[in-house]
Each structure stands twice: as C-alpha cells, then as structure tokens.
Amino acid sequence: GRALLPQPGLILADEPTGNLDPDNKTRILDLLFEQAEKNKSTLVMATHDHGLLKQFDRVIDFAQFHQKKAAHA
C-alpha cells in the first residue's frame, strides 16, 4: 500500500494475490488496476494463477523462454 502513495509510474507486484481468498483476491487486483489507471502507471505482476491472466492486456509466459533455451542447447 505504501508503495502506491508516491504515484509511481511502474507498479511491480510479485504474487500479490497468492494467499488470498477469492473475494480478497478480486479486491486487491481491482485496487491495483484502479491505481495503475488513476496514475497512468504500468502494472507488472507475477502470478501462478492462470485464472487472472485474462484481465491483463499483455501476458508473458516465461516457460516459452525456457523452451527456446532448451531448443538451442
């Protein structure tokens, strides 16, 4: 929460919903999106919850980088 006070241009969130129940997961994600929009910030979030991915404009699956590296080995 304190990290959002100075209205950053970039919000980095590492598993912010990882241990939350569904209601609070939704509330936190809504808050992050709201703050990013309000401050014209970019939100970069790491998650293992594939159910959240459809809410983002862009998704980068790091598994694809591992596959490319293995293919070149």
Side-chain angles (χ1 to χ4, degrees):
R2 288 184 292 178
L4 297 175
L5 289 177
Q7 301 174 338
L10 176 64
I11 301 170
L12 298 174
D14 183 12
E15 296 282 353
T17 61
N19 292 320
L20 300 176
D21 61 86
D23 289 339
N24 283 315
K25 181 188 306 189
T26 300
R27 291 175 67 192
I28 292 300
L29 198 55
D30 288 347
L31 173 67
L32 288 170
F33 281 127
E34 178 184 306
Q35 289 300 307
E37 185 176 337
K38 176 182 172 186
N39 298 317
K40 296 180 176 45
S41 303
T42 298
L43 171 61
V44 176
M45 187 172 117
T47 186
H48 288 91
D49 188 340
H50 290 217
L52 300 177
L53 301 181
K54 62 184 175 215
Q55 297 179 49
F56 288 86
D57 295 332
R58 183 171 180 202
V59 174
I60 298 172
D61 184 351
F62 283 93
Q64 72 188 29
F65 297 111
H66 179 68
Q67 291 169 352
K68 287 180 184 179
K69 185 176 177 182
H72 293 304

